[in-house]
Amino acid sequence: RIDVENEDGPLATVENLVADLTIADDNSAVDFNGTAESFNLNLQAMVESGNAAGLLEDIGYQQITGSASMEGRWQPSDGRLTLSRYEAVIDDAGTLSFLFDLSGYTPQFIQAAAEIAKEMEQSRGDQQQAAQGMAMLGLLQQLTFHGTAIRFTDNSLTGKLLDYQAEQMGSTPDALIGQAKAIIPAQLGPYLGAEAAESVAEAVGTFLENPENIEISAKPENPVPLAMLAAAAMASPEMLVKQIGLAVKANQ
């Protein structure tokens, strides 16, 4: 059990927090999983004033409860790190799921990254910090991206947010959905390309009209070094979208 408090009282509580690690007999892999049977977050105490506080009060999320679980595997030899499931369930709101897969996260990488981070904390002067920043970027070139996905399954949160925003703007949820479907292609088109932007707008519109689930995923045909992804992002975001197989899907 974990309790977090400040001078005004409880901020967060996590109960029945459990983590298990299983190391293969030949040390080739570490399987891990964990659960938090229940948690309680006092959002009202964390956000005491401003627009965010008003939003929480109007939609009824001053305090939220839920549970969480995760599982994955790490292979030290090639640094393959797979988070095959991470799921946070927020009662009367929705479920957020996340997974990722990358390689190159070896013990040597971890040690080198820790050393550079320590040097950056102790560095003085712009030249030192710039050199260490370049060293960290060089280190990240050892990582290879295999894929990732983020999924949200709605349980009333989306409708409450739409109703709140419509009331604030003196509009209606249907009008807001129409605006979103029209704005997204124009805003994202210059970066993602017309085809990808239209696909995103269609998925977002489908989800908002009937909130069930929405997922953003990236699954390249072949693993891609992070350095190559960074270069593609700077040169042509549209090319990056195709390279990583970016997709947004709703209600599937």
Side-chain angles (χ1 to χ4, degrees), residues 55-120:
L55 168 63
L56 292 175
E57 183 175 357
D58 285 349
I59 64 178
Y61 290 122
Q62 296 98 323
Q63 291 201 23
I64 62 172
T65 60
S67 60
S69 60
M70 63 175 291
E71 62 182 54
R73 163 174 280 210
W74 178 50
Q75 299 173 179
S77 59
D78 61 359
R80 186 74 176 266
L81 177 62
T82 304
L83 183 66
S84 54
R85 182 171 65 91
Y86 173 83
E87 189 172 272
V89 180
I90 302 175
D91 299 332
D92 300 318
T95 300
L96 182 66
S97 305
F98 175 64
L99 60 86
F100 71 83
D101 186 0
L102 59 83
S103 59
Y105 193 71
T106 61
Q108 294 79 10
F109 175 91
I110 296 171
Q111 182 179 2
E115 290 174 354
I116 294 175
K118 184 177 180 180
E119 290 174 359
M120 293 178 74

Side-chain angles (χ1 to χ4, degrees), residues 72-205:
R73 163 174 280 210
W74 178 50
Q75 299 173 179
S77 59
D78 61 359
R80 186 74 176 266
L81 177 62
T82 304
L83 183 66
S84 54
R85 182 171 65 91
Y86 173 83
E87 189 172 272
V89 180
I90 302 175
D91 299 332
D92 300 318
T95 300
L96 182 66
S97 305
F98 175 64
L99 60 86
F100 71 83
D101 186 0
L102 59 83
S103 59
Y105 193 71
T106 61
Q108 294 79 10
F109 175 91
I110 296 171
Q111 182 179 2
E115 290 174 354
I116 294 175
K118 184 177 180 180
E119 290 174 359
M120 293 178 74
E121 290 180 0
Q122 299 174 347
S123 64
R124 297 292 184 271
D126 294 339
Q127 288 186 343
Q128 277 187 317
Q129 292 179 352
Q132 289 153 359
M134 291 299 295
M136 184 64 79
L137 287 175
L139 188 62
L140 290 176
Q141 294 181 18
Q142 299 179 29
L143 299 179
T144 299
F145 176 76
H146 292 254
T148 189
I150 302 174
R151 181 183 183 92
F152 176 71
T153 302
D154 185 71
N155 183 19
S156 78
L157 174 62
T158 304
K160 292 173 183 176
L161 289 175
L162 279 172
D163 290 341
Y164 173 83
Q165 191 63 30
E167 183 178 352
Q168 293 296 306
M169 298 178 63
S171 183
T172 65
D174 287 342
L176 290 183
I177 294 171
Q179 292 174 16
K181 292 167 68 175
I183 291 174
I184 289 174
Q187 294 291 327
L188 297 184
Y191 304 101
L192 305 184
E195 184 179 351
E198 288 290 347
S199 177
V200 172
E202 181 180 354
V204 171

Side-chain angles (χ1 to χ4, degrees), residues 1-5 10-18 35-36 38-41:
R1 176 184 174 104
I2 298 175
D3 291 291
V4 182
E5 300 180 354
L11 294 177
T13 298
V14 183
E15 294 186 291
N16 294 331
L17 181 63
V18 179
T35 59
S38 67
F39 63 77
N40 185 306
L41 300 180

